[in-house]
């Protein structure tokens, strides 16, 4: 078994409904080394904090090559599984995305259904499932079970009628599950009842992004969440602390 395949298997095993794996969201080698030194056994790389760290905007304001360069620096600095937010795919084909991630040493990805390169439109549910299927097919062909976290932005975008938004998200994510996703990611802030519906009715582990200084792991566990990351919020919390420290020196 290759090193990447063993890391992918280990990473997938950390997705435990009711006992969620916590994967700090990092953006460079320094933040990755800090998280690993603090005892975390896997990491996520967030598009927003990486883009911010190199002076680009989120929403594919950076290129996949720029992201891959940063991922390569992170995987060279730490020996734990690393999953990468690849936004909506940077307009690339699944084979290019999988090849680039594996070459950079990553073993997982988030893929979202907002198409930044096409005016921010929302992919249809079937389009998104087809993309997930392509990523799974090329990962399997490469011999690494890349952990695919299929994300929907329905809640983030406040898409359509709120009354049936959870129903539509469940239908959309079920298609992604059938297409080969490993984890499902209804990104956004959810009422407890909605999160319990999502974790109870969907067939795969559910991922949640939370504020590291406010959310509670036990509460997320009770709701059935299997994976916790921080998106841009860990970097934001550190920025606030840096502001506090520097304020003394003005």
């Amino acid at each position: 078994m290759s090193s990447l395949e063993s890391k992918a298997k280990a990473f997938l095993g950390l997705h435990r409904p009711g006992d969620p794996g916590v994967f700090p969201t990092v953006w460079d080698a320094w933040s990755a080394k800090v998280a690993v030194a603090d005892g975390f056994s896997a990491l996520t790389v967030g598009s927003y904090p990486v883009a911010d760290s190199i002076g680009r905007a989120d929403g594919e304001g950076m290129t996949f090559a720029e992201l891959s360069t940063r991922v390569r620096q992170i995987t060279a600095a730490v020996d734990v599984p690393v999953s990468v937010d690849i936004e909506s795919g940077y307009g690339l084909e699944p084979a290019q995305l999988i090849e680039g991630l594996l070459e950079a040493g990553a073993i997982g990805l988030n893929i979202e259904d907002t198409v930044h390169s096409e005016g921010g439109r929302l992919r249809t549910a079937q389009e998104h499932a087809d993309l997930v299927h392509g990523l799974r097919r090329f990962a399997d062909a490469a011999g690494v079970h890349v952990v695919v976290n299929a994300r929907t932005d329905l809640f983030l975008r406040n898409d359509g009628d709120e009354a049936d938004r959870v129903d539509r998200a469940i239908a959309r994510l079920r298609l992604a599950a059938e297409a080969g996703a490993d984890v499902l990611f209804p990104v956004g802030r959810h009422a407890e009842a909605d999160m319990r519906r999502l974790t109870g009715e969907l067939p795969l582990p559910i991922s949640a992004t939370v504020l590291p200084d406010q959310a509670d792991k036990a509460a997320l566990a009770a709701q059935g969440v299997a994976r916790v990351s921080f998106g841009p919020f860990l970097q934001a919390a550190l920025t606030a602390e840096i502001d506090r420290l520097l304020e003394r020196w003005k």
Side-chain angles (χ1 to χ4, degrees):
M1 185 184 297
S2 72
S3 173
L4 288 179
E5 174 66 358
S6 63
K7 284 182 177 178
K9 286 182 178 293
F11 183 57
L12 186 57
L14 295 172
H15 293 70
R16 302 177 296 258
D19 181 22
V22 178
F23 312 132
T25 303
V26 301
W27 52 92
D28 61 8
W30 168 78
S31 55
K33 290 170 73 174
V34 168
V36 171
D38 283 339
F40 291 92
S41 55
L43 303 173
T44 52
V45 176
S47 65
Y48 187 108
V50 169
D52 203 33
S53 75
I54 62 172
R56 302 283 192 269
D58 193 33
E60 299 187 2
M62 65 180 166
T63 66
F64 184 61
E66 288 173 320
L67 174 62
S68 299
T69 295
R70 185 52 59 88
V71 172
R72 198 173 298 110
Q73 293 165 352
I74 290 168
T75 59
V78 296
D79 190 26
V80 300
V82 173
S83 181
V84 181
D85 176 2
I86 61 169
E87 306 194 67
S88 57
Y90 297 91
L92 301 177
E93 294 299 318
Q96 296 172 289
L97 294 167
I98 293 297
E99 181 181 5
L101 288 171
L102 293 177
E103 191 277 331
I107 50 72
L109 62 89
N110 289 2
I111 184 70
E112 63 193 57
D113 53 5
T114 294
V115 190
H116 300 288
S117 61
E118 298 178 20
R121 72 174 182 88
L122 189 73
R123 287 191 178 100
T124 67
Q126 189 58 56
E127 257 187 302
H128 196 47
D130 290 344
L131 177 54
V132 167
H133 179 70
L135 292 165
R136 169 59 57 228
R137 183 162 64 91
F138 283 104
D140 288 350
V144 178
H145 189 92
V146 173
V147 178
V148 176
N149 189 17
R151 167 176 149 170
T152 182
D153 288 350
L154 286 181
F155 300 98
L156 197 65
R157 298 164 61 107
N158 292 318
D159 184 84
D161 191 341
E162 184 179 4
D164 69 346
R165 193 172 294 144
V166 174
D167 294 327
R168 287 183 287 116
I170 288 172
R172 180 173 283 257
L173 291 173
R174 279 179 177 157
L175 279 180
E178 293 166 4
D182 299 288
V183 190
L184 303 173
F185 187 13
V187 66
R189 306 287 292 277
H190 303 292
E192 181 177 344
D194 289 343
M195 182 58 86
R196 287 183 181 275
R197 271 201 68 196
L198 291 162
T199 60
E201 296 183 29
L202 286 167
L204 292 175
I206 300 302
S207 178
T209 292
V210 302
L211 280 66
D213 54 345
Q214 297 182 31
D216 179 72
K217 183 180 178 182
L220 293 164
Q223 293 168 22
V225 171
R227 168 176 173 161
V228 176
S229 60
F230 302 132
F233 303 120
L234 181 60
Q235 189 185 53
L238 289 176
T239 300
E241 179 63 11
I242 290 169
D243 289 344
R244 185 190 68 80
L245 291 170
L246 294 180
E247 182 65 29
R248 299 177 62 243
W249 297 95
K250 287 184 179 177

